[in-house]
Amino acid sequence: HSAHAAERIEHVDALFKHVPNFFFGNRYFQEMTTKLAESKLVFNKSLNRDINMRFFEGLCSGSALLTDKLPELDELGFKHGVHYIGYHNKADMLEKADYYLEAEKGREWIAASGRRLVQAKHTYLDRCNQILEQIKAKRGVLTNV
């Protein structure tokens, strides 16, 4: 796990040095929501090739999400360049950050598209219903035995 955390730190450090006004710090609840919404880009780097909470927070914020590409994102209906800005490595991340910080219309279009999708299909209620459906399906399998 520490190798993945070190990679995330390297990415954050590279952005901090490369992007003007890059914010890194602790914010909680309303303050965090406000900071995300005020941003042009929200950075995310998975720790273990997982789709984490920051992915969904970034999309909900209305700001464009800059995140590492994961195959599972396609399975959930998220498309690079449509709902989020995906990168493969640190150099690609910096290149995309530069481009989308300047490409306001494209960045805002992606941000709005990502927000619409996450609000339509990936809310806490959606996740709870999926969990309940899986429990019901498993219970049905177990009771039919």
Side-chain angles (χ1 to χ4, degrees), residues 45-105:
K45 170 74 178 86
S46 63
L47 276 178
N48 194 20
R49 309 230 12 106
D50 57 339
I51 301 171
N52 56 32
M53 192 65 198
R54 176 56 50 87
F55 178 85
F56 294 101
E57 290 170 342
L59 290 171
C60 276
S61 74
S63 297
L65 177 67
L66 176 65
T67 189
D68 47 336
K69 287 184 180 180
L70 303 172
E72 296 80 8
L73 294 176
D74 285 338
E75 295 170 23
L76 292 175
F78 294 103
K79 303 293 180 209
H80 159 67
V82 176
H83 304 108
Y84 71 96
I85 302 160
Y87 63 84
H88 295 288
N89 54 43
K90 191 168 41 175
D92 188 34
M93 173 194 69
L94 295 175
E95 185 179 311
K96 299 256 173 67
D98 283 343
Y99 177 81
Y100 282 103
L101 286 170
E102 295 298 321
E104 184 176 351
K105 287 186 185 211

Side-chain angles (χ1 to χ4, degrees), residues 19-38:
V19 174
N21 300 317
F22 181 80
F23 170 79
F24 176 77
N26 293 327
R27 296 286 189 268
Y28 301 99
F29 307 112
Q30 183 81 27
E31 195 178 354
M32 180 61 156
T33 303
T34 301
K35 191 66 177 170
L36 291 175
E38 292 172 349

Side-chain angles (χ1 to χ4, degrees), residues 89-141:
N89 54 43
K90 191 168 41 175
D92 188 34
M93 173 194 69
L94 295 175
E95 185 179 311
K96 299 256 173 67
D98 283 343
Y99 177 81
Y100 282 103
L101 286 170
E102 295 298 321
E104 184 176 351
K105 287 186 185 211
R107 181 184 70 240
E108 289 181 0
W109 183 86
I110 290 170
S113 180
R115 186 177 194 187
R116 279 192 303 273
L117 178 58
V118 81
Q119 289 178 334
K121 297 186 177 181
H122 298 284
T123 65
Y124 283 118
L125 182 58
D126 294 318
R127 288 294 167 268
C128 289
N129 285 331
Q130 286 177 333
I131 291 168
L132 290 173
E133 288 303 316
Q134 288 185 6
I135 290 169
K136 286 179 189 175
K138 295 282 186 199
R139 191 177 335 155
V141 168

